[in-house]
Amino acid sequence: MPLRLEDTFRDALRGQAGEGGRPLAGMWVCSGSPLIAELCAGSGLDWLLVDAEHSPNGLESILAQLQAVNGYPVHTLVRPPVNDTVLIKQYLDLGVQNLLIPMVNSAADAEAAVAATRYPPQGVRGVGSALARAARWSRVPDYLARAGETISVTVQIESTAAVDSVAEILKVDGVDAIFVGPSDLAASMGLLGQQEHPEVRAAVEHCLAAAKAAGKPAGVNAFSPATADHYLASGANFILVGADVALLARGSEALAARYIQRSDVDSPATSY
């Protein structure tokens, strides 16, 4: 059955923390295709991340994907390209309920992200609910008063500055969870492309421990099954374990290698 408007990713994470809970597994949706998004939504995974930071997704394609996955019991997060008040307003009005905000390097960055999701006086979100899918065009009773209940905010820790400030970021009211991105984190540590480096792993584990101490969920990106298992054992509450475009790329390469058997068809190493 489809999720209710009140069923946010925040609530799913709270349920995960309860008795009998388990980490939530998800995947990236980067193609920009509503058909692919719907296909992924029916996979049985817990959550999807529609990405607009490194993928060809604009307002129209995000809207189409939200509509395509609406009938499935999967939580959909959307990552904007930047922590921007105006863009976040547009995403929320489209009906995005779960945001993953990239490059949050400080408590001030986290506070700005939360403020962008709240109407005044708690925040700075512009008011246009009568025009917006978020309020189902004024069909959601008391939407203006209840909007905060329908939105979850996860902030991304992906720099040395963010790792250093993670305890303060976790204290920000309205930050529901943190998500660690090892790729950018490795780059900021001078270890570009070395997500498995012991220093990068130690930084990720530091963030997971800080989140546990603060009583908030923490997630991480890990395409390698061994790495994913390691971070789950280290306390990750949710995880991204694949991407639509990566699955298609590797699958099509495997077909070419099997049936064409060309010596120059190489399968590049998976990166994340």
Side-chain angles (χ1 to χ4, degrees), residues 180-220:
V180 187
S183 293
D184 279 303
L185 178 55
S188 77
M189 297 172 70
L191 299 166
L192 181 65
Q194 300 181 58
Q195 295 89 342
E196 304 289 350
H197 192 283
E199 292 181 18
V200 178
R201 283 199 173 198
V204 174
E205 291 162 7
H206 168 76
C207 293
L208 297 178
K212 183 177 181 180
K216 289 189 177 180
V220 64

Side-chain angles (χ1 to χ4, degrees), residues 232-246:
L232 290 170
S234 298
N237 305 103
F238 58 109
I239 197 161
L240 284 173
V241 293
D244 55 351
V245 291

Side-chain angles (χ1 to χ4, degrees), residues 210-227:
K212 183 177 181 180
K216 289 189 177 180
V220 64
N221 191 52
F223 283 12
S224 162
T227 302

Side-chain angles (χ1 to χ4, degrees), residues 41-225:
S43 66
L45 288 166
D46 299 301
W47 65 290
L48 306 176
L49 176 60
V50 175
D51 180 46
E53 185 181 15
H54 296 294
S55 304
N57 273 309
L59 296 176
E60 290 81 3
S61 68
I62 291 171
L63 172 60
Q65 289 172 86
L66 292 176
Q67 292 169 329
V69 305
N70 186 61
Y72 295 85
V74 64
H75 291 275
T76 304
L77 279 69
V78 181
R79 181 169 73 170
V82 65
N83 183 7
D84 178 79
T85 298
V86 173
L87 195 56
I88 290 172
K89 171 184 64 179
Q90 291 180 297
Y91 278 33
L92 295 178
D93 284 349
L94 283 182
V96 173
Q97 292 183 251
N98 307 300
L99 287 162
L100 176 64
I101 306 298
M103 291 295 178
V104 171
N105 297 315
S106 65
D109 288 345
E111 289 167 354
V114 173
T117 69
R118 304 296 196 261
Y119 289 123
Q122 289 79 23
V124 296
R125 179 182 176 186
V127 182
S129 58
L131 310 176
R133 179 176 180 267
R136 303 302 187 261
W137 306 278
S138 295
R139 292 170 181 165
V140 176
D142 301 320
Y143 177 78
L144 292 177
R146 299 176 49 226
E149 302 171 15
T150 70
I151 297 165
S152 75
V153 178
T154 301
V155 300
Q156 196 155 0
I157 307 298
E158 47 187 342
S159 70
T160 54
V163 172
D164 291 342
S165 301
V166 68
E168 288 71 33
I169 291 171
L170 284 159
K171 291 177 183 176
V172 173
D173 186 30
V175 168
D176 297 306
I178 62 169
F179 184 80
V180 187
S183 293
D184 279 303
L185 178 55
S188 77
M189 297 172 70
L191 299 166
L192 181 65
Q194 300 181 58
Q195 295 89 342
E196 304 289 350
H197 192 283
E199 292 181 18
V200 178
R201 283 199 173 198
V204 174
E205 291 162 7
H206 168 76
C207 293
L208 297 178
K212 183 177 181 180
K216 289 189 177 180
V220 64
N221 191 52
F223 283 12
S224 162

